[in-house]
Amino acid sequence: MKAYETQSIRNVGIAGHGDTGKTQLVSSLLFTAGMTTRLGKVTEGTTVTDWDEEEIARKITIHTSLAYAEWAPSGLIGKGDCGEKIKINFLDTPGYSTFLNDTRASLVAADAVLIVVDAAAGVQVGTEKVWDYGIEYDVPRAFVINWMDRELANYDRAMESITRVFGRNAVPLQLPIGSERGFRGAIDLITMKAHLYTPDGDGKPKIEEIPAVLAEASKTAHETLVEMVAEGDDALMEEFFEKGTLPIEDLRKGLREAFQAKRIHPVVLTSALHNIGSATLLDLLADVFPDPSQRGTAIGHSETASKGNEIKRKIADSEPLSIFVFKTLADPFAGRVTYFKVMSGVLKNDAMPQNFTRGTSERLQHIQVMQGKTATAVPELHAGDLGTVAKLKETFTGDTLGDKSAPIHYPLPHVTEPSITFAVEPKTRADEDRIGPAIHKILEEDPSLRFSRDPQTKEFLLAGSGQQHIEVVVAKLHKRYHVDLKLHPPKVPYRETIRGKADAEGKHKKQTGGHGQFGVCRVRLEPAARGTGIEFIDDIFGGAIPKNWIPSVEKGIRASAERGFLAGFPVVDFKAILYDGKYHDVDSSDMAFKIAGSLAFKEGMKQARPALLEPLMHVEVYAPDQYSGDIMGDLSSRRGRINGSEVRGATVIVKASVPFAEMLNYATTLTSMTQGRATYTMEYSHYDYVPAEIAEKVIAAAKAARGVEVEEEEHV
Ligand SMILES: Nc1nc2c(ncn2[C@@H]2O[C@H](COP(=O)(O)OP(=O)(O)OP(=O)(O)O)[C@@H](O)[C@H]2O)c(=O)[nH]1
Ligand SMILES: [Mg+2]
């Protein structure tokens, strides 16, 4: 395969609400560009980008896949720079809310986002989410209204929902020809031609004059487009006022600039399943979407986690090599596969860059590009290109590698905290032995997953972003690593905190035989803001406790807090101020002060009005209008607070804040309440106090589950 230079590369993130047709769209673009010989279908499990067995089984995208089309623009939206092939890299991202973590993390590699919208549903909650990711990474955003052939597809309504939510800068580049099953293509408003496609054809249109019935509407839409493009560009504005229009080439160039400056969000139309609109869209990606260098400079730091001095890097071959790892896959056969973007310089096969994050060097043998699961070895990758390499030893997601003489660290990816925890039980003894190593591999590819063992109940706990997320992990463990687990109902991750202040002494003194043990500390406890965790403050003056034992006190307090006070849930959001103590030259030790810290903490908790905290979820329910009353009533009865509702077409969106503990069986209730016509999303919002009468029950139940009074032992 040809090595594409930066100017001939496009990195396009395909993102949107679940089931809008992202994977199908990538499939139709790959087929149209001749990258596949058959139009792969999601329903048949034959697309390039949904290749994982779980994805095929569930018919949804679970993790981002890479694919590419080599496409020479065919002049469909103006002559442009026709002829030269462009390599369009697609990042086909998940749309289901449970898997949006991965979407957010992988869009870091995109230089523009193409947001897929369902022609019947219009803008949905996922649409807004991915739009926000585009803003977070500061990249241009365009829309494709897909599924135009769908029954009840409605261009006007979908377009209206886009401009209502995202503003008038979302501008149509096309008007539809035909509707629902009769959808045949679109008027291109740049060239003012009709692009007519054969359904289930080769994805390339016949060019015709605009049908008379659409002439008037096309003219008006063309003028709007011209005006929007010219706005903000004085030279174009002048030309526009003089001539009343713009020549095609100026319009297309102006559009490119306005798009890249994020002044315009173009909207195009497709039917991915029937391969309508594909070539026009490929031309748009090649001719109007930015190449990686057009983002200006990449910004990193001299130290990891955005610490140290800021370093700017031009995204160009002429700069020193730097590559950023945005994803890791654990393949049971190929081993670890590392997905990266070349941020600057040229990466040659067999290079041995420094891993700046880990302080080691890695040999990159067999650098490759991905067409779904299929890897093709390449001799080199230029600045801006995306690639993978297998079997790196010490490189993980979020690492920066590069030329040893020019270190740089790109920002670490955002990791979402898990919002749901399940207990998993190994089915056999053999499963129990295998669970650790197997999960370890999955954790590497999925930073939003947490695995732990409850110290009291000895249960294995898997925490993730939703039930489906955990189910997929359990299925992967079974298929890839032959580990069988039973899933137990989710646990509410309660926490404990304090409402009042305390001042307590912890005294550990043992004088029996040989060496004694001695340590005394005085600690004040104070409530701290929600989300701050534990803050330990050393306020010792005059050496009442020697410096080297102070961390021991802190460890004792933290370990005790982790084990909980009321019901075994971690105690958070408090300050522990160590301000006095006593020691003994011979008998004091690390252990003695750990125990003293732990005793002071427990004593303090008794005075500090301990309280239970529970997670509250932000819930959005999407349902046909007529159910809105039932849905709100039900959420209120779950101790929910309704934050509002919004009507979009025939759909009502109810937004509420509800304790997680009350949402465990919600899916079942909602389905029976609406005959399966509603969906909902739920994400962690914040922690708040559990009302007293409920707290009592939770505490009793937690103690019963542990089969013991919460530990009273003194050992740390
Ligand atoms: N009729 C019709 N069906 C479509 C079209 N696009 C997608 N579909 C169907 O919609 C379903 C979902 O398509 P996908 O491509 O998996 O959607 P997605 O957005 O990738 O879904 P997630 O990745 O799970 O969010 C599949 O059954 C497709 O066949 C279209 O343009 N027309
Ligand atoms: Mg998909």
Side-chain angles (χ1 to χ4, degrees):
M1 189 180 121
K2 190 181 148 194
Y4 286 85
E5 309 244 342
T6 310
Q7 278 62 37
S8 307
I9 296 169
R10 308 284 179 268
N11 295 317
V12 185
I14 310 288
H17 193 83
D19 266 341
T20 46
K22 299 175 286 296
T23 302
Q24 190 58 53
L25 182 66
V26 170
S27 177
S28 72
L29 297 179
L30 294 177
F31 173 69
T32 301
M35 312 309 292
T36 54
T37 49
R38 223 155 65 84
L39 177 64
K41 296 191 176 157
V42 172
T43 43
E44 292 163 8
T46 52
T47 62
V48 169
T49 49
D50 273 3
W51 54 267
D52 180 277
E53 50 189 355
E54 278 310 303
E55 296 182 318
I56 293 172
R58 291 165 196 262
K59 299 190 170 57
I60 58 175
T61 303
I62 292 169
H63 58 74
T64 300
S65 280
L66 287 186
Y68 61 91
E70 300 178 271
W71 179 254
S74 44
L76 290 170
I77 56 167
K79 272 270 169 291
D81 321 305
C82 279
E84 278 280 307
K85 271 197 176 172
I86 301 284
K87 179 178 174 228
I88 307 170
N89 290 322
F90 297 107
L91 295 127
D92 176 20
T93 67
Y96 272 83
S97 64
T98 336
F99 303 113
L100 278 177
N101 298 328
D102 193 55
T103 302
R104 181 171 179 186
S106 43
L107 283 179
V108 70
D111 297 309
V113 183
L114 180 64
I115 301 176
V116 185
V117 174
D118 177 331
V123 172
Q124 293 167 282
V125 63
T127 325
E128 297 187 46
K129 286 247 171 73
V130 301
W131 168 269
D132 289 343
Y133 301 157
I135 291 180
E136 179 181 334
Y137 294 122
D138 195 25
V139 289
R141 301 168 290 280
F143 293 94
V144 49
I145 302 178
N146 181 46
W147 215 324
M148 283 293 294
D149 59 294
R150 188 176 205 172
E151 215 181 301
L152 297 180
N154 185 324
Y155 165 76
D156 289 325
R157 227 177 42 211
M159 192 60 225
E160 195 266 330
S161 86
I162 292 174
T163 45
R164 180 154 38 83
V165 179
F166 303 110
R168 60 182 277 276
N169 292 10
V171 190
L173 287 193
Q174 304 178 342
L175 289 184
I177 302 175
S179 63
E180 301 188 359
R181 272 156 173 263
F183 176 66
R184 287 295 174 273
I187 311 287
D188 172 62
L189 296 172
I190 303 172
T191 57
M192 293 300 273
K193 297 282 181 201
H195 294 181
L196 283 172
Y197 287 79
T198 311
D200 307 303
D202 63 1
K204 291 167 189 154
K206 274 204 321 240
I207 314 287
E208 291 185 6
E209 294 309 318
I210 297 175
V213 283
L214 289 172
E216 195 52 42
S218 304
K219 189 162 168 282
T220 315
H222 174 74
E223 280 162 8
T224 308
L225 173 66
V226 174
E227 224 177 295
M228 290 294 295
V229 168
E231 209 174 78
D233 182 324
D234 293 343
L236 281 183
M237 206 59 175
E238 228 165 84
E239 189 173 359
F240 174 51
F241 276 133
E242 230 165 74
K243 301 183 188 153
T245 182
L246 289 176
I248 292 174
E249 274 324 288
D250 291 355
L251 178 54
R252 198 181 51 83
K253 260 194 246 139
L255 172 67
R256 173 157 56 180
E257 274 153 33
F259 173 56
Q260 293 178 9
K262 291 147 246 164
R263 278 197 290 112
I264 281 190
H265 311 293
V267 185
V268 297
L269 312 172
T270 55
S271 162
L273 188 65
H274 298 298
N275 208 9
I276 298 176
S278 303
T280 315
L281 176 52
L282 282 166
D283 267 18
L284 180 77
L285 299 180
D287 271 344
V288 171
F289 273 48
D291 76 59
S293 75
Q294 281 160 318
R295 273 180 104 166
T297 48
I299 295 179
H301 282 82
S302 59
E303 290 165 44
T304 188
S306 303
K307 295 202 184 94
N309 305 325
E310 196 176 279
I311 301 175
K312 286 190 175 153
R313 245 334 136 67
K314 267 212 316 247
I315 302 163
D317 285 356
S318 56
E319 295 277 308
L321 177 70
S322 68
I323 69 180
F324 179 71
V325 176
F326 63 92
K327 183 170 184 61
T328 308
L329 274 191
D331 188 294
F333 305 108
R336 187 182 296 154
V337 183
T338 303
Y339 284 64
F340 59 81
K341 180 174 190 176
V342 181
M343 303 296 289
S344 61
V346 182
L347 175 65
K348 303 263 186 203
N349 190 34
D350 239 5
M352 209 156 126
Q354 178 81 359
N355 181 328
F356 301 126
T357 318
R358 317 263 156 203
T360 52
S361 64
E362 286 264 27
R363 163 146 299 168
L364 271 57
Q365 251 172 342
H366 308 306
I367 57 170
Q368 50 200 17
V369 292
M370 302 306 282
Q371 192 67 284
K373 67 175 168 192
T374 312
T376 307
V378 289
E380 60 182 21
L381 290 169
H382 291 262
D385 215 343
L386 309 181
T388 66
V389 59
K391 297 203 165 62
L392 293 192
K393 294 207 175 56
E394 288 179 86
T395 295
F396 299 93
T397 304
D399 289 2
T400 305
L401 290 78
D403 186 337
K404 200 168 181 172
S405 61
I408 184 168
H409 296 264
Y410 293 110
L412 295 178
H414 170 96
V415 179
T416 320
E417 283 304 311
S419 57
I420 193 166
T421 305
F422 283 82
V424 290
E425 187 192 336
K427 284 198 180 145
T428 65
R429 191 55 216 267
D431 292 322
E432 179 162 356
D433 293 341
R434 282 196 298 252
I435 183 171
I439 288 225
H440 198 74
K441 295 214 178 80
I442 293 190
L443 286 173
E444 255 177 33
E445 63 175 37
D446 186 351
S448 62
L449 192 71
R450 297 271 191 291
F451 179 67
S452 61
R453 193 160 196 182
D454 186 309
Q456 266 106 12
T457 62
K458 308 280 184 264
E459 269 178 326
F460 290 109
L461 302 177
L462 254 188
S465 48
Q467 177 153 354
Q468 213 175 13
H469 184 198
I470 302 297
E471 280 170 6
V472 164
V473 171
V474 170
K476 272 189 198 166
L477 283 166
H478 167 72
K479 286 190 188 145
R480 285 194 199 166
Y481 305 106
H482 313 293
V483 177
D484 285 316
L485 299 176
K486 265 202 300 222
L487 206 55
H488 294 295
K491 297 200 163 181
V492 183
Y494 291 104
R495 290 177 182 165
E496 300 175 13
T497 190
I498 55 174
R499 285 169 174 259
K501 294 186 180 182
D503 186 336
E505 183 181 77
K507 182 171 182 179
H508 182 61
K509 184 176 174 185
K510 272 209 174 108
Q511 227 67 62
T512 43
H515 230 305
Q517 293 177 36
F518 186 82
V520 179
C521 62
R522 290 205 69 97
V523 177
R524 279 196 297 270
L525 299 183
E526 289 176 13
R530 213 46 72 238
T532 50
I534 302 173
E535 191 186 349
F536 177 81
I537 298 165
D538 168 13
D539 203 16
I540 291 281
F541 282 103
I545 298 178
K547 276 268 169 272
N548 53 324
W549 304 136
I550 289 173
S552 314
V553 177
E554 175 174 2
K555 277 185 209 143
I557 294 174
R558 286 185 186 274
S560 225
E562 182 60 35
R563 286 205 308 268
F565 178 78
L566 288 174
F569 302 111
V571 186
V572 296
D573 303 342
F574 68 91
K575 286 184 201 165
I577 305 150
L578 172 64
Y579 71 95
D580 201 2
K582 287 191 193 115
Y583 71 103
H584 185 278
D585 279 334
V586 181
D587 290 345
S588 282
S589 65
D590 174 53
M591 183 53 78
F593 274 107
K594 273 188 194 161
I595 296 175
S598 158
L599 291 173
F601 172 78
K602 285 180 193 164
E603 186 51 39
M605 285 302 288
K606 288 183 195 156
Q607 306 167 18
R609 293 165 53 217
L612 205 60
L613 294 170
E614 65 180 343
L616 273 87
M617 310 305 283
H618 174 73
V619 178
E620 294 191 3
V621 187
Y622 291 72
D625 217 356
Q626 76 255 35
Y627 296 110
S628 82
D630 294 348
I631 286 167
M632 288 192 214
D634 175 70
L635 288 174
S636 302
S637 76
R638 293 172 191 264
R639 298 195 281 131
R641 204 187 63 222
I642 308 291
N643 296 330
S645 71
E646 193 183 315
V647 178
R648 275 191 207 147
T651 303
V652 63
I653 306 163
V654 177
K655 301 183 183 181
S657 169
V658 192
F660 178 61
E662 306 287 340
M663 291 298 288
L664 298 180
N665 62 353
Y666 190 62
T668 327
T669 311
L670 185 65
T671 305
S672 64
M673 195 160 61
T674 62
Q675 280 80 50
R677 295 172 65 199
T679 57
Y680 73 104
T681 62
M682 176 164 95
E683 64 185 36
Y684 163 72
S685 160
H686 63 284
Y687 270 84
D688 207 347
Y689 295 113
V690 179
E693 51 315 337
I694 294 170
E696 255 169 52
K697 285 186 202 141
V698 174
I699 292 168
K703 286 183 173 174
R706 288 179 161 80
V708 280
E709 277 294 290
V710 174
E711 281 186 84
E712 277 303 327
E713 43 127 35
E714 310 258 292
H715 233 68
V716 183

XYZ file of all heavy atoms in Angstrom, residues 22-23 50 61 92-93, ligand 2:
47
model
N -24.103 3.936 11.766
C -22.701 4.326 11.591
C -21.887 3.212 10.937
O -21.149 3.434 9.988
C -22.083 4.656 12.962
C -22.773 5.806 13.663
C -22.223 6.040 15.057
C -22.645 4.995 16.089
N -24.100 4.960 16.354
N -22.056 2.019 11.478
C -21.281 0.893 10.970
C -21.713 0.552 9.543
O -20.887 0.296 8.667
C -21.469 -0.320 11.908
O -21.056 0.077 13.210
C -20.687 -1.518 11.440
N -17.661 -3.941 12.492
C -18.209 -4.700 13.629
C -17.689 -6.126 13.500
O -18.420 -7.040 13.113
C -19.750 -4.721 13.620
C -20.355 -3.514 14.327
O -19.583 -2.642 14.767
O -21.594 -3.442 14.422
N -22.092 -1.911 17.952
C -20.658 -1.662 18.067
C -20.304 -1.535 19.538
O -20.954 -0.799 20.277
C -20.275 -0.390 17.302
O -20.685 -0.545 15.940
C -18.780 -0.142 17.355
N -14.939 4.020 13.417
C -16.355 3.679 13.610
C -16.579 3.469 15.108
O -16.136 2.475 15.674
C -16.704 2.421 12.815
C -18.145 1.990 13.064
O -18.956 2.833 13.513
O -18.457 0.799 12.823
N -17.268 4.402 15.734
C -17.380 4.394 17.199
C -18.717 3.825 17.667
O -19.699 3.825 16.924
C -17.242 5.821 17.761
O -18.384 6.583 17.341
C -15.974 6.503 17.274
Mg -21.911 0.604 14.891
